[in-house]
Amino acid sequence: MLEALLGPFVEFGFMRRALVGCVALAVAAPPLGVLLMLRRTSLTAEVLAHGVTPGIAAGFLVAGLSVPAMSLGGLVAGLLVALGAGALSRATGGREDAALTALYLIALALGVTLVSLRGDTGDLTHLLFGQVLGVDDAALLLMAGVATITLPALALAWRPLALETFDPAFARAEGAQGALWHMLFLTLVVLNVLAAFQAMGTLMAVGLMMLPAVAARHWARELSGLAYAAVAIAAASAFAGLLASYHLDLPSGPAIVLTAGLAWAVSVVAGPVDGLAARLLRRPHLAG
């Protein structure tokens, strides 16, 4: 049993590299997912994951599969989509989610078109679905660097972000500079999406951000507890998903996301906070 659990990581460097990169993602991204979930904007991360596609594609066309070039292009594109949607909604009086939807659909189509100009469907597959087991030093440094930036930034911004999430009117009354913190928050989301795309691809980059966050709501009630639970679920999903991909010969990125999805399903059924089992057990007591 111990050999089955630890053997692949002891024997193969690419498995250790993939695990370290996924753990870095699991530590930094889920707290952002928790805040997105509580703000009822869970799909924003998915929108931004697709919004970075043209920048990544442009970097790919210029420098090939160069992590620095694709990351820089993706950062520019992601910030343009995120900040552009906010600017458009304020200028036109429309909803920000509508502007995000329009921009991300255009960005995704443009990105796929740019990659297809190379005529190599393998490159398109790599961009859309990632390659966890092919994480190199540059990608690993990107993941670790983003985690190193995200955690101190969240520590600094956690209280104002929490205040804006639960009581935006009070935050405005207190002069909490909600727009500034919101822009910082969106920037952190874009950075984490970029860190994840090398491993998960643009289609599943938010898997370790959102699924553990949604699952965590069935295990904790307080904001800090939600963040801790989401990180634990994400790290466990990364470990178990990599093992499943190795032993069952499955694609690693989808295996990790499916494992996180299984953790969510178990949480929905067995979680102590609003889980189905907890609700069923509570009903006879309330009826009596």
Side-chain angles (χ1 to χ4, degrees):
M1 179 65 70
L2 190 62
E3 173 64 23
L5 290 175
L6 300 180
F9 303 106
V10 173
E11 185 175 356
F12 299 108
F14 65 87
M15 290 291 291
R16 292 194 297 272
R17 198 183 300 268
L19 180 61
V20 171
C22 288
V23 168
L25 295 175
V27 169
L32 297 171
V34 167
L35 290 171
L36 285 169
M37 176 190 67
L38 294 175
R39 290 165 177 243
R40 302 179 185 271
T41 56
S42 297
L43 288 177
T44 297
E46 184 69 22
V47 168
L48 294 178
H50 295 320
V52 303
T53 305
I56 293 172
F60 169 71
L61 288 177
V62 172
L65 291 173
S66 166
V67 172
M70 291 191 295
S71 300
L72 179 60
L75 177 62
V76 172
L79 291 178
L80 284 175
V81 170
L83 302 181
L88 280 174
S89 65
R90 286 173 174 80
T92 63
R95 291 177 57 90
E96 185 175 9
D97 59 343
L100 272 173
T101 300
L103 288 175
Y104 107 80
L105 288 171
I106 295 169
L108 178 60
L110 177 60
V112 173
T113 302
L114 288 175
V115 174
S116 67
L117 294 177
R118 291 283 291 259
D120 187 346
T121 57
D123 293 332
L124 181 59
T125 301
H126 177 87
L127 174 66
L128 294 179
F129 299 104
Q131 190 176 4
V132 176
L133 300 183
V135 170
D136 57 13
D137 288 342
L140 195 59
L141 286 173
L142 174 64
M143 295 176 187
V146 168
T148 303
I149 293 171
T150 300
L151 293 177
L154 273 180
L156 174 67
W158 191 254
R159 288 177 65 86
L161 286 176
L163 182 60
E164 188 192 8
T165 297
F166 291 110
D167 198 341
F170 179 74
R172 286 193 297 270
E174 290 294 309
Q177 300 293 327
L180 179 62
W181 294 115
H182 184 62
M183 291 300 104
L184 172 62
F185 176 66
L186 289 179
T187 301
L188 292 176
V189 173
V190 171
L191 284 173
N192 279 269
V193 165
L194 280 174
F197 97 86
Q198 177 71 16
M200 305 291 186
T202 58
L203 291 185
M204 289 181 289
V206 300
L208 278 180
M209 181 183 292
M210 294 311 308
L211 280 171
V214 177
R217 68 172 294 269
H218 296 289
W219 298 99
R221 294 186 185 275
E222 295 183 355
L223 182 58
S224 59
L226 287 170
Y228 292 139
V231 168
I233 292 170
S237 298
F239 181 79
L242 285 172
L243 279 179
S245 72
Y246 177 82
H247 290 297
L248 302 178
D249 194 24
L250 299 173
S252 48
I256 292 171
V257 175
L258 285 173
T259 304
L262 178 61
W264 167 76
V266 170
S267 301
V268 169
V269 174
V273 180
D274 293 332
L276 295 178
R279 283 176 173 267
L280 289 174
L281 291 173
R282 213 165 35 233
R283 283 180 181 175
H285 169 71
L286 293 176

